[in-house]
Amino acid sequence: AGAIGCHIAYVLRRAGCDVTLIARGDNLRVLRADGLRITIGSEESIARIRVTDRPEEVGVVDYVFLTMKVPGWNSTVANMIQPLIGAHTTLLPPTTSIPYWWFHGMKGPLEGRRLERADPAGELWRAMPPEQVIGFTMWLSAVQTGPGCVMLRQVQRGYPLGELDGTKSRRAERLAAAFERGGVPSPRVPC
């Protein structure tokens, strides 16, 4: 759980959602002992959010956010999160570059193709089926200033999200509404 993951957890917790962070090392220790210390503008808050380093303790959830940069994403991470994923779990993988699912739902000759460079062995496609993915990006600036400490610098457009095929869905609307209840804009956009 880095800066963006902690901010997402904070916002969704404020919205009344049941949230669990997956963390490790000093970050895990501090989040467990002291809670999340988050600074937004000139206001500092402490948020008590459930945290673990063992996804199997959490079980299947409605939404899984993967907020690491794309180079940090690999089959080890995909395997680690499997206990969180059920048939109806919505997945929000990192989109800091062109994602493995880029052509999914796109009409035309490339429809359904997996982006080989982003997922050479197809491990991401199998571990996180595009049918379960919502396109999601982070238009804000946040930094982790230390273990368990996050500073939000600026919110531009918040957390834009949408279905890969551009349609509207209950799962995308529900998530966007939760972000907005938590105080962050979440424009619905075609991906």
Side-chain angles (χ1 to χ4, degrees):
I4 298 293
C6 285
H7 183 257
I8 289 170
Y10 172 78
V11 168
L12 293 176
R13 184 80 171 96
R14 282 185 48 180
C17 300
D18 182 22
V19 177
T20 302
L21 285 166
I22 307 297
R24 58 183 178 219
D26 286 343
N27 207 30
L28 173 68
R29 183 184 51 74
V30 171
L31 287 166
R32 276 186 176 155
D34 303 330
L36 170 63
R37 181 178 307 273
I38 188 161
T39 304
I40 300 174
S42 61
E43 293 184 30
E44 187 175 287
S45 302
I46 303 286
R48 296 285 177 185
I49 298 172
R50 184 176 44 235
V51 63
T52 184
D53 59 348
R54 299 176 50 127
E56 62 274 10
E57 292 177 355
V58 179
V60 174
V61 297
D62 293 332
Y63 296 92
V64 174
F65 293 87
L66 294 136
T67 57
M68 76 285 289
K69 291 182 176 38
V70 171
W73 174 247
N74 58 38
S75 61
T76 302
V77 174
N79 291 331
M80 182 188 80
I81 65 168
Q82 288 308 299
L84 304 172
I85 301 173
H88 301 288
T89 301
T90 298
L91 307 166
L92 296 105
T95 54
T96 54
S97 69
I98 297 175
Y100 70 95
W101 49 259
W102 186 255
F103 298 116
H104 181 77
M106 186 181 285
K107 302 296 181 210
L110 299 176
E111 183 174 5
R113 285 200 49 200
R114 178 175 50 83
L115 196 60
E116 296 285 331
R117 266 220 179 160
D119 185 20
E123 293 171 340
L124 302 179
W125 191 278
R126 285 187 297 279
M128 295 181 49
E131 298 79 21
Q132 289 183 250
V133 171
I134 286 181
F136 173 75
T137 193
M138 307 112 195
W139 284 14
L140 51 82
S141 173
V143 294
Q144 192 163 17
T145 57
C149 299
V150 171
M151 178 187 299
L152 184 67
R153 292 182 173 164
Q154 178 185 16
V155 175
Q156 289 122 352
R157 289 189 62 204
Y159 294 119
L161 59 87
E163 291 293 339
L164 304 185
D165 63 4
T167 60
K168 290 187 177 189
S169 71
R170 183 173 174 270
R171 67 185 185 165
E173 289 298 320
R174 192 171 133 208
L175 180 57
F179 278 128
E180 289 168 356
R181 280 194 320 275
V184 173
S186 185
R188 284 67 153 187
V189 296
C191 290

